Amino acid sequence: MDQRPVGFLDSGLGGISVLREALQQLPHEDYLYYGDTANAPYGDKSPEEILQLTHRGVDKLTALGCKAIVIACNTATSAAAGRLRQELCLPIIGMEPALKPAALLEGTGSILVMATRVTLALPKFQTLMEKYGENAIPVPCPGLMECVESGKLEGDEVNALLGKILSPYRRQPVKAVVLGCTHYPFLRKAIASFFAPGVPLIDGNAGTVRQLKRRLSEENLLSDGLAGGRITYLSSCEDPKVIERMQRMLELNS
Ligand code: DGL
């Protein structure tokens, strides 16, 4: 039993979509959420820079007494998780685009994997493509996380950007769409409107939290189950509005 908080980190608001899932599956844990808003987006930085920034965020969370870390960002996981696991001895849970569950679905047509340019270019995703990518098409989505950061979750601007990104795929059969960036579940409604009804939009959040639960249990780090559910928000940006926005995103129903 261990009452210390679980640390979550992302380049901004995206990881809140994973934290939301954690509150469902692990309601008795306490959480520290760190958004590196001052340095967002990560998706167009070099892997070295992303590694440094992620390292800094993880150091901050461990210094504050976290018992485990969830890198609630596909981009940061791709660039930094391997290195951080070598250096640190606490559980580090990362993310990857949910291509495997999408590939295992029945049906025909392509699987569109929406993610940042960096996530799609790094070896972690290349390995995933070799195993499960037979019908997969990587779709880089520059500008999309910025919509979420600025609170634009639907409307003309988001639809225009999505139209630009998704128009090449509108005339082909699509079996599933993978939301390979933790910001994108907040755009679920807008993204779904570009596809036929019933096309599944799959994110990796539930699987990531199941893995967190497994690791906490293996290491005997689960809380005693009596209290918990406290969330403390931190940001690299000093504007207090950023913390308010994090709280609001957690309450959203998307
Ligand atoms: N939320 C992040 C991810 O899952 C990345 C967004 C960004 O900073 O570009 O990849």
Side-chain angles (χ1 to χ4, degrees):
M1 300 289 170
D2 193 317
Q3 302 310 114
R4 290 176 297 158
V6 176
F8 270 66
L9 130 158
D10 179 50
S11 58
L13 299 169
I16 301 273
S17 68
V18 193
L19 178 61
R20 233 164 35 171
E21 177 66 32
L23 287 165
Q24 297 291 320
Q25 287 192 43
L26 290 164
H28 298 298
E29 299 295 335
D30 289 330
Y31 298 95
L32 265 183
Y33 184 90
Y34 173 68
D36 193 6
T37 316
N39 295 300
Y42 281 4
D44 53 15
K45 292 190 164 48
S46 71
E48 294 70 31
E49 206 177 341
I50 300 166
L51 170 60
Q52 269 178 19
L53 292 168
T54 308
H55 210 311
R56 205 189 297 164
V58 170
D59 287 348
K60 197 186 265 286
L61 290 168
T62 49
L64 289 167
C66 289
K67 61 185 174 185
I69 304 286
V70 177
I71 306 180
C73 174
N74 294 266
T75 311
T77 300
S78 311
R83 218 6 223 289
L84 288 166
R85 286 195 187 108
Q86 281 169 6
E87 285 182 28
L88 302 170
C89 52
L90 78 174
I92 295 183
I93 288 83
M95 302 200 69
E96 66 183 19
L99 176 56
K100 179 179 172 185
L104 298 176
L105 287 174
E106 296 286 327
T108 52
S110 9
I111 299 167
L112 304 183
V113 185
M114 300 174 71
T116 67
R117 187 186 52 75
V118 172
T119 296
L120 299 174
L122 284 174
K124 187 173 170 59
F125 182 69
Q126 297 309 319
T127 309
L128 203 58
M129 279 295 275
E130 278 158 29
K131 280 198 197 153
Y132 302 105
E134 203 187 332
N135 299 310
I137 304 176
V139 182
C141 301
L144 212 48
M145 79 78 82
E146 287 89 332
C147 287
V148 176
E149 289 292 316
S150 60
K152 292 178 199 124
L153 306 185
E154 49 194 351
D156 292 347
E157 208 175 310
V158 177
N159 287 335
L161 180 60
L162 283 171
K164 220 161 78 185
I165 293 169
L166 297 172
S167 59
Y169 315 105
R170 289 191 86 172
R171 278 195 186 78
Q172 61 189 67
V174 171
K175 178 170 105 166
V177 179
V178 174
L179 306 178
C181 164
T182 53
H183 281 75
Y184 303 166
F186 291 116
L187 298 166
R188 190 176 286 276
K189 229 194 277 169
I191 295 171
S193 71
F194 281 78
F195 299 98
V199 171
L201 267 51
I202 304 175
D203 66 55
N205 294 356
T208 300
V209 177
R210 277 198 299 274
Q211 173 66 1
L212 167 66
K213 200 170 174 178
R214 249 191 315 267
R215 294 288 288 120
L216 290 178
S217 165
E218 276 166 13
E219 305 287 334
N220 206 17
L221 289 173
L222 283 163
S223 82
D224 61 13
L226 296 176
R230 271 185 301 258
I231 306 165
T232 307
Y233 297 97
L234 306 160
S235 171
S236 54
C237 174
E238 277 169 21
D239 184 351
K241 285 207 184 77
V242 173
I243 304 289
E244 282 167 31
R245 231 177 287 148
M246 288 174 176
Q247 285 164 332
R248 237 179 299 130
M249 294 304 269
L250 189 79
E251 284 151 23
L252 269 186
N253 235 339
S254 59

